Amino acid sequence: MAGNVWFIIGASGFGKAIAKEALRRGDSVVAVSRRGTSLKDLESLGAMLLDLDVTSDDTTINGVFQAAIDKYGKITHFINAPGYLLEGPAEGASSKDAFDSINVNVLAIMNLTRLEIAYLRPRKSGYIANFGSVGSWYGGSAYSHYSAAKWAVSGFTESVHEEVKEFGIHATVIEPGYFRTEFLHAEGTNRKVVSNVLEAEYKGSSVDIVRKALIGINNHQPGDVVKGAKVIVDVLTGSGVATGKEFPIRLILGRDCMDGIHDKIARTEKLIKEWEDVIVSTDHDDVQRA
């Protein structure tokens, strides 16, 4: 029976880098995406390739799990990294834009996680890592739906962590900053625009500024995805940089992400300090007197 068996859903970008790092260490990898069988570079390194639409029904998803189990005898690590950026003003997103974004970026991850827990819980061991983002911590112009999705994934995974840790399952949300992957490529599948970009209406606005910034930072992101993947595999195997450290509920990657979180904490503390008298004034009188 194989040692660690990684089942990586969304095996492009970070997912592909994690797959390569796990394979380099001698682990087994199942690389899964909508067009998973096209990932020939991973296959040449020894990965098993499988196709899966993450919005599929339970029977289909469990069938793909079973294909991996039939080959390797088990799955020890699940990486859930499907998703895409929906870019543009919130006003310009159609109801279908919004539903599709939440369906892939949130509901699919929730459903995959549910089925993964059902597989791992009787075995009382295993790892589940869902992908959040620096966008899990703060919102901004031109990426409202993406930020909403990543906030949801992080909150969901933090809750799952509390539910499953007593069963020997380790769940974490990976929150990278800007890493030099193909995620922001306009011609790729990870960056989509809203149905009505309202270009004239938002010209010169913060939406326009952010859109141009995303174009400008593409291929110049500060994060090294190979280094990031090494850290992720270390953390999910309790080795290397993770040796002796407590398993993290949130795995933050990149100085830009860390700096953004520090800024969010400072702004939140300032808000609470300014509004504290109003915040506590809404308690019942008997609570206020206690």
Side-chain angles (χ1 to χ4, degrees):
M1 184 177 290
N4 293 325
V5 180
W6 298 72
F7 193 95
I8 302 175
I9 304 169
S12 61
F14 247 115
K16 180 177 286 190
I18 295 168
K20 289 181 177 180
E21 179 62 22
L23 288 165
R24 188 187 67 80
R25 298 188 189 197
D27 290 345
S28 299
V29 168
V30 183
V32 183
S33 72
R34 186 185 291 269
R35 293 178 296 278
T37 48
S38 68
L39 301 171
K40 299 303 181 182
D41 55 337
L42 290 180
E43 186 176 45
S44 68
L45 295 174
M48 178 185 186
L49 306 184
L50 293 172
D51 294 332
L52 178 67
D53 180 339
V54 294
T55 63
S56 298
D57 58 35
D58 291 4
T59 300
T60 300
I61 294 170
N62 280 325
V64 176
F65 288 178
Q66 192 60 52
I69 296 164
D70 288 345
K71 180 168 183 176
Y72 296 113
K74 62 183 178 180
I75 300 170
T76 60
H77 293 72
F78 288 97
I79 305 290
N80 298 317
Y84 62 90
L85 169 68
L86 180 61
E87 177 190 325
E91 179 189 358
S94 68
S95 58
K96 185 177 187 306
D97 290 339
F99 174 80
D100 288 347
S101 173
I102 296 300
N103 196 29
V104 172
N105 289 320
V106 182
L107 298 181
I109 287 179
M110 289 179 170
N111 196 47
L112 288 164
T113 301
R114 174 177 66 87
L115 297 174
E116 291 158 3
I117 294 170
Y119 168 74
L120 294 174
R121 182 175 49 76
R123 292 156 181 81
K124 298 191 179 301
S125 67
Y127 294 81
I128 298 172
N130 294 328
F131 261 79
S133 164
V134 62
S136 297
W137 286 86
Y138 52 82
S141 297
Y143 57 89
S144 56
H145 291 82
Y146 182 74
S147 183
K150 293 307 181 181
W151 283 30
V153 169
S154 288
F156 171 73
T157 309
E158 187 169 314
S159 302
V160 165
H161 172 91
E162 296 300 325
E163 290 183 0
V164 303
K165 63 184 181 181
E166 62 192 271
F167 298 108
I169 303 170
H170 298 76
T172 189
V173 58
I174 300 167
E175 297 176 335
Y178 286 87
F179 275 73
R180 210 166 296 175
T181 68
E182 297 178 357
F183 191 78
L184 292 179
H185 286 10
E187 67 275 11
T189 60
N190 296 119
R191 182 177 176 185
K192 301 181 180 181
V193 297
V194 296
S195 293
N196 188 358
V197 296
L198 299 169
E199 186 172 354
E201 291 83 348
Y202 280 85
K203 184 176 178 59
S205 73
S206 59
V207 169
D208 191 29
I209 292 169
V210 169
R211 180 183 63 81
K212 291 174 181 176
L214 290 174
I215 294 171
I217 198 172
N218 189 33
N219 294 322
H220 301 285
Q221 298 96 323
D224 184 326
V225 70
V226 174
K227 291 181 178 179
K230 289 180 179 178
V231 170
I232 291 168
V233 175
D234 277 353
V235 168
L236 295 178
T237 56
S239 61
V241 298
T243 301
K245 289 184 169 64
E246 183 178 352
F247 186 81
I249 298 176
R250 292 172 176 239
L251 179 55
I252 297 160
L253 298 176
R255 183 181 298 275
D256 59 334
C257 187
M258 181 183 70
D259 290 346
I261 293 169
H262 279 312
D263 179 64
K264 178 61 179 283
I265 291 170
R267 286 186 284 120
T268 303
E269 288 180 340
K270 179 177 181 294
L271 182 149
I272 290 173
K273 183 176 181 180
E274 180 179 356
W275 288 85
E276 182 176 3
D277 58 336
V278 176
I279 293 167
V280 300
S281 72
T282 59
D283 293 342
H284 277 287
D285 291 344
D286 58 340
V287 174
Q288 292 177 350
R289 289 193 298 268

